[in-house]
Amino acid sequence: MRGLYLITNDDAFDVLYQKLHVALQSGPISLIQYRRKKVTPVQQLEEIERLLSLCQQYQVPLIINDNLALAQQFGCGLHLGQGDGSLIQARKQLGPQAIIGRTCHNSLELASQAAAEGVSYLAFGAVFPSATKPNAQRVSLVTLQQAKAQFELPICVIGGLTVENSQPLVELGIDLFAVVGDILNLEIAHVAQRCKAWQVLLRN
């Protein structure tokens, strides 16, 4: 697991779907996370079904945010925040091959616990201020450097990431760059170009 990790925004679903399709066509996206807090449970089922079909077309894993039941229903991966249930239980229900991530904020202690409980990747953030979660705790480059040294698991960063500000994270050897706004908040016409700019950055 290395590269871009796209997390859905709150666009109208047809618009979001088009943007994700363009992003997947534009080059290697490692993971896509479904995070749609403002739609009904019935809409979520319809949207996940469509996104899963799209992801399967490009052989990119789909990760469900914070909902073990949906992840199990659709055979998807799962991302758990700190208040979103037991990682051990999720691993038991989803099986050994499932991708399960855990939010660790800025804490190596939380990361150690998640690693012991069988997590697939460790997510740290926010690295920069973010419109998606403006009050999120911040994580320092020093903590990220320590995480890279301490854990053999993929390290994911999130929070205000852009092509322009992420070079120091690339230099640290960060594995996954979770992005919402820098790609999916753009007009559809600009998505492909931005994805390609990220690919250039992450190849360096």
Side-chain angles (χ1 to χ4, degrees):
M1 286 185 281
R2 290 188 64 83
L4 267 178
Y5 182 178
L6 290 185
I7 300 177
T8 59
N9 66 4
D10 292 319
D11 278 347
F13 183 72
D14 285 345
V15 174
L16 172 64
Y17 183 92
Q18 289 179 61
K19 289 180 181 180
L20 289 171
H21 200 174
V22 169
L24 287 163
Q25 286 176 323
S26 301
I29 305 295
S30 295
L31 302 170
I32 288 178
Q33 183 184 128
Y34 179 83
R35 183 182 186 276
R36 302 267 288 171
K37 305 283 190 180
K38 298 180 180 179
V39 301
T40 68
V42 171
Q43 287 175 296
Q44 287 182 351
L45 294 176
E46 294 170 355
E47 292 180 359
I48 291 169
E49 197 165 339
R50 286 188 64 194
L51 276 191
L52 185 56
S53 178
L54 179 65
C55 287
Q56 287 170 342
Q57 182 182 337
Y58 288 92
Q59 298 183 305
V60 172
L62 181 64
I63 311 297
I64 305 295
N65 179 263
D66 294 352
N67 193 318
L68 173 56
L70 283 179
Q72 189 168 27
Q73 179 177 345
F74 286 95
C76 295
L78 177 68
H79 184 89
L80 291 173
Q82 281 297 316
D84 297 316
S86 163
L87 204 159
I88 293 172
Q89 184 62 34
R91 175 60 70 200
K92 183 178 177 182
Q93 287 185 227
L94 297 180
Q97 303 306 316
I99 298 172
I100 305 177
R102 175 70 104 177
T103 296
C104 302
H105 299 302
N106 57 358
S107 170
L108 295 173
E109 186 178 345
L110 290 176
S112 293
Q113 181 181 347
E117 292 177 351
V119 81
S120 306
Y121 66 84
L122 301 164
F124 290 89
V127 180
F128 304 107
S130 159
T132 306
K133 291 190 176 181
N135 300 317
Q137 303 172 56
R138 299 283 297 279
V139 64
S140 69
L141 291 181
V142 171
T143 298
L144 293 172
Q145 188 172 30
Q146 291 170 333
K148 277 297 295 181
Q150 184 173 338
F151 303 106
E152 294 184 6
L153 292 163
I155 302 298
C156 174
V157 289
I158 190 168
L161 304 179
T162 68
V163 171
E164 291 76 21
N165 66 20
S166 294
Q167 182 64 41
L169 301 164
V170 174
E171 292 171 4
L172 281 182
I174 295 299
D175 302 285
L176 287 165
F177 292 75
V179 173
V180 184
D182 198 48
I183 291 176
L184 293 177
N185 287 357
L186 301 177
E187 297 294 325
I188 292 172
H190 301 299
V191 168
Q193 183 179 4
R194 197 61 171 169
C195 287
K196 287 169 183 170
W198 270 102
Q199 288 165 36
V200 170
L201 173 68
L202 297 180
R203 277 201 299 266
N204 291 340

